[in-house]
Amino acid sequence: MLKLHILASGSRGNAAVVENAATGRGVLIDCGICKRDFFARCDEAGFDPAKLDAVLITHEHGDHTKGIGVTMRGLAKLGRRPAIYAAPATLQASKHLQDIEETCEIRALAPEALVSAAGMSIVAFATSHDAAASFGFRIEANGDAAGFMTDTGIVTDAAHAHLQDVRLLALESNHDPRMLSEGPYPYVVKRRIASDEGHLSNEQGAEELASLLSTRLEAVAAMHVSENNNEYDLAKQGFRAVTEREGHPARIACGYQGRLTTLS
């Protein structure tokens, strides 16, 4: 069985660990949080960071990469040098991914690329975001499956296909359109967030969730919830309205900026 430990989710930092419960080994998706928070939340989740086998980078933005270097150095002191998977364009675009070869091996990531790590098979799929390259992931192990998608302005065909028939789902629900429109951000930032290369709104996330309901789906987390243009309860209510309307038993949770959420 898989476990998804959402260590942090939001515009101030993102990180999540997918754990293969059968082996206790795992992969890290992004690291935009400090080393202290990374280790503290892994400890809270009951996951041993020394059992981390790989790091998957969704895209180069700092809230997804700024903690990579110091965290990898911390892992190196534990004798772990997990491979980092990132698109070549992401490596070129991110100052946070420079000069980290001494603590890890860097491997190229591409759309539809298959990564094998921690006893799991992981497929990267393209998302639509204003980055040099951006990905979501489908993770499978021992007949179990999890889907992970944040930072996308639309749901691409590839993303929709790879998120089908998963048991655990992490799905973006970034903003409430009214709050975004009436909020303090400059117009150009509002337009970026709401664009096809920005972030999914609560309504867009809920619409995608409705199309992904299956008998296999057990738990869903609303992800990358904006602290300025959304509320955690609004994001969860949007997802919960879908499951209640369809009479679906999936548990609804949320990825938080400052505390751990685990889906299992």
Side-chain angles (χ1 to χ4, degrees):
M1 298 288 284
L2 298 174
K3 294 181 179 181
L4 174 61
H5 305 296
I6 303 166
L7 309 184
S9 182
S11 59
R12 289 190 287 111
N14 296 270
V17 171
V18 183
E19 179 185 357
N20 183 345
T23 64
R25 310 202 74 80
V27 300
L28 174 65
I29 300 176
D30 291 337
C31 193
I33 60 176
C34 68
K35 181 180 70 172
R36 179 196 64 222
D37 287 346
F38 168 77
F39 281 99
R41 291 182 194 158
C42 281
D43 183 64
E44 183 182 354
F47 176 75
D48 181 357
K51 294 186 176 180
L52 200 66
D53 286 354
V55 182
L56 310 170
I57 304 299
T58 60
H59 64 293
E60 78 271 11
H61 291 166
D63 57 324
H64 296 259
T65 60
K66 64 188 176 185
I68 285 284
V70 65
T71 299
M72 291 302 102
R73 288 191 289 275
L75 288 171
K77 292 180 180 179
L78 298 178
R80 293 302 300 161
R81 297 176 181 271
I84 291 184
Y85 291 84
T90 298
L91 294 170
Q92 293 177 359
S94 174
K95 65 181 181 181
H96 303 293
L97 295 174
Q98 305 298 317
D99 303 321
I100 59 173
E101 293 88 348
E102 63 184 33
T103 59
C104 58
E105 177 184 356
I106 296 179
R107 299 178 184 175
L109 189 64
E112 304 304 316
L114 177 64
V115 175
S116 295
M120 298 182 282
S121 296
I122 304 152
V123 177
F125 56 81
T127 60
S128 178
H129 197 52
D130 57 350
S134 61
F135 299 106
F137 303 99
R138 181 185 180 92
I139 305 101
E140 297 186 356
N142 304 315
D144 199 9
F148 188 98
M149 181 175 72
T150 68
D151 295 80
T152 190
I154 59 172
V155 181
T156 65
D157 290 342
H160 179 71
H162 285 298
L163 295 176
Q164 298 269 0
D165 200 31
V166 297
R167 186 177 65 84
L168 306 177
L169 177 62
L171 180 63
E172 183 166 60
S173 189
N174 173 257
H175 62 276
D176 172 77
R178 180 189 60 79
M179 290 181 67
L180 176 64
S181 176
E182 297 176 0
Y185 286 0
Y187 172 72
V188 65
V189 177
K190 294 178 180 180
R191 185 172 62 181
R192 169 196 169 266
I193 291 170
S195 75
D196 286 354
E197 294 185 338
H199 295 274
L200 294 182
S201 69
N202 293 343
E203 288 80 359
Q204 289 172 303
E207 181 180 1
E208 177 62 10
L209 174 59
S211 73
L212 295 173
L213 294 179
S214 70
T215 57
R216 193 179 189 186
L217 185 64
E218 294 184 6
V220 184
M223 299 290 287
H224 216 294
V225 176
S226 171
E227 292 183 296
N228 294 310
N229 303 304
N230 206 355
E231 297 176 359
Y232 292 120
D233 284 346
L234 280 178
K236 288 191 290 185
Q237 287 168 11
F239 282 3
R240 191 170 289 117
V242 171
T243 56
E244 290 178 350
R245 183 181 68 234
E246 300 299 327
H248 196 282
R251 305 185 305 276
I252 303 300
C254 199
Y256 294 95
Q257 186 65 85
R259 60 185 172 95
L260 171 74
T261 297
T262 292
L263 302 185
S264 59

